[in-house]
Amino acid sequence: APRPDPDPYALAQQALDRDGDSTAAEILMLRARRDAPNPTREKRVLLNILVDQQRLDEALALADEILAQPSPEPLVQIRRVEILNEMGRAADAQAAGARVVEQLAGVQNADRSLIIRARLAYALALFRNRQPERAVDQYRVILTAAPDNSSAHLGIAELVLPDRSSPHRPEIVAKF
C-alpha cells in the first residue's frame, strides 16, 4: 500500500529537532508554505527555527504575534518564557512563567509534559531573578511528578553548587 506523503511541517520540525539543521528546516518550511499553506503551523515551526538560530528578538516578536490570536497554545506561551530567559529578561520571564503555570494548573487533563516544561522555565526565571527558594519549590513540584527529571535535578544542582558562599545555600540545601 502506498504510504501517505509525510506532513511537510513535521519534516521541517524534524530537521530542526533531530538533525539540528535550522537551514534545512527553513527550506523545508518554505516548501511546506508553497505546497500546503498552514499559517498557524508555519509560525510555530518558524518560531523554533528563530530560537535555534539565536534570533531571539524576532522569535519574541513572533511568539507575541501568535499569542495575540484567539486561544493561544500553551506551548507557545512556554516557548515565550524560554525566549525571555535566554534574552536575560528574568523579571519578564518570571511574570510570564507564573501566568503559564497558573493557567495550566487550572486546565483539567493538561498535558503533564507541558506542565513540567512550564515549571522548568518558570524555575529558571526565578533562579535568574535571585529567588532561589522559590525556584527550588518549583523543582520539587516537578520531581514529585517526575522523580527522574534530569532538568529539575540539574537546576537544583546549579542552585546548590556554583556559589558555595551564597547566603541562600544553607536554606536550599536544607530543603533536601
Side-chain angles (χ1 to χ4, degrees), residues 120-147:
L120 285 168
Y122 181 45
L124 179 59
L126 289 165
F127 171 66
R128 290 185 174 169
N129 211 23
R130 294 186 163 89
Q131 297 180 35
E133 297 87 1
R134 292 182 62 204
V136 167
D137 292 341
Q138 291 302 311
Y139 290 130
R140 292 185 77 180
V141 170
I142 294 165
L143 292 172
T144 298

Side-chain angles (χ1 to χ4, degrees), residues 51-165:
V51 170
D52 185 69
Q53 294 175 346
Q54 292 296 299
R55 295 164 52 191
L56 300 178
D57 289 326
E58 293 173 73
L60 182 60
L62 181 58
D64 288 340
E65 179 184 325
I66 295 168
L67 293 173
Q69 302 299 315
S71 305
E73 295 179 34
L75 184 56
V76 176
Q77 293 173 306
I78 295 165
R79 195 66 164 143
R80 184 175 187 277
V81 176
E82 294 168 344
I83 292 166
L84 289 166
N85 273 328
E86 284 194 48
M87 294 175 83
R89 294 176 50 184
D92 293 333
Q94 180 181 337
R99 283 192 302 274
V100 174
V101 167
E102 184 178 319
Q103 287 172 357
L104 287 173
V107 175
Q108 196 139 25
N109 298 322
D111 183 332
R112 181 175 162 229
S113 66
L114 281 180
I115 294 169
I116 289 171
R117 187 168 171 179
R119 286 190 181 278
L120 285 168
Y122 181 45
L124 179 59
L126 289 165
F127 171 66
R128 290 185 174 169
N129 211 23
R130 294 186 163 89
Q131 297 180 35
E133 297 87 1
R134 292 182 62 204
V136 167
D137 292 341
Q138 291 302 311
Y139 290 130
R140 292 185 77 180
V141 170
I142 294 165
L143 292 172
T144 298
D148 294 331
N149 186 286
S150 59
S151 296
H153 285 289
L154 180 60
I156 289 167
E158 287 177 357
L159 282 167
V160 175
L161 298 177
D163 184 3
R164 296 184 186 278
S165 65

